[in-house]
Amino acid sequence: MDVELNVTLLTLGGFAELHKYRYLYFVIIFTLYILILCFNSTIVYLIWTCKNLHEPMYIFIAALLINSVLYSMIIYPKLLSDVLSEKQTISYPLCLFQGFSYYTSAGSEFLLLAAMAYDRYVSICKPLQYPVIMNRITIYVCVILVWLIPAFEIAVSFVLYSNVKLCSFTLTGIFCNNSFYRLQCVPSVVISVYGVVMLINVAFLPMLFILFSYIRILRISYSCCRETRRKALKTCLPHLLVLISFSCLSCYDVVIARVESDFPKTARLIMTLQLALYHPLFNPFVYGLKMKNFLNT
């Protein structure tokens, strides 16, 4: 068999007992995919059509939910196809493109949460300057940059990956993520170092900025009256819940692919599915409740 064909074709080996539960997998994944599209799109539509929701915070929420839809569209169509296929394979260039899109979306999530934290910080700590700082131009620039910055940084990473020599052609996951790091014949020092730098830029630094912003918010709000503290906690809690949820899943995604371990295949599948299934549904649930309270006031 031609070696070049082997190099460009990868097997997705992360499915457990697929031959037994093929149709059950398909029904569950397809149902959740439809729910993700419907829930996220509905809230985005409400924000778009309700003029009293045309505020910076809700524009960022809409961007976050659009990001969840894009995040799901990157994974689900191929995942549903693989569940019904006899062989779960993907070409290496398509795998790189899926990974590029997946991590661009993940990086955008952290930066959007950082933008939302800054919006809350200005709103609570500098209320008189809020209309000037968080004007329409600032919001649009932020929304554009949160997608462009991760796209540029991750594009460099996948240009590096496109030139590596592969000695293994089976991914441990069910879609293309960090698991293709272990396909290299010789791990690239350049890719490893750049991966750490990129992780710091698109995840670690935004998380530090978010935590710093919320610490400042809590310090200032607790020096005010009880009503101010209650409003500050109410507006910050949903963002913190989403941040904690996404950070934990992202840590798993990074660590499990880079660390050699005999992690059970079924447990790996369940954790990987949470990345694709749980989080895109968690966002509209959390922010949907917040919007319900806002619309009822």
Side-chain angles (χ1 to χ4, degrees), residues 7-8 10 92 161 164-169 180 183-185:
V7 170
T8 58
L10 305 178
Y92 187 58
Y161 267 109
V164 301
K165 183 179 179 182
L166 305 181
C167 285
S168 176
F169 308 105
F180 48 57
L183 301 181
Q184 304 171 73
C185 295

Side-chain angles (χ1 to χ4, degrees), residues 55 57-58 61 113 116-117 119-125 130 214 217-218 221 227-242 286-287 290 293-294:
E55 297 181 3
M57 179 177 64
Y58 290 100
I61 289 175
L113 289 171
M116 294 167 74
D119 172 72
R120 293 299 85 202
Y121 167 75
V122 176
S123 174
I124 294 171
C125 302
Y130 183 77
Y214 286 145
I217 290 171
L218 290 175
S221 62
E227 181 64 19
T228 302
R229 293 198 298 269
R230 188 186 68 82
K231 288 182 177 179
L233 183 62
K234 184 178 178 181
T235 191
C236 293
L237 185 59
H239 308 316
L240 287 174
L241 289 175
V242 171
V286 170
Y287 292 117
K290 183 178 180 64
N293 293 333
F294 182 88

Side-chain angles (χ1 to χ4, degrees), residues 207-260:
M207 284 179 63
L208 286 181
F209 178 79
I210 293 167
L211 293 177
F212 172 78
S213 299
Y214 286 145
I215 289 171
R216 290 281 297 166
I217 290 171
L218 290 175
R219 285 183 60 186
I220 292 175
S221 62
Y222 268 83
S223 64
C224 302
C225 64
R226 179 178 296 180
E227 181 64 19
T228 302
R229 293 198 298 269
R230 188 186 68 82
K231 288 182 177 179
L233 183 62
K234 184 178 178 181
T235 191
C236 293
L237 185 59
H239 308 316
L240 287 174
L241 289 175
V242 171
L243 174 66
I244 292 169
S245 167
F246 192 66
S247 298
C248 291
L249 293 174
S250 298
C251 286
Y252 163 80
D253 180 73
V254 172
V255 171
I256 200 63
R258 297 293 181 119
V259 177
E260 295 284 345

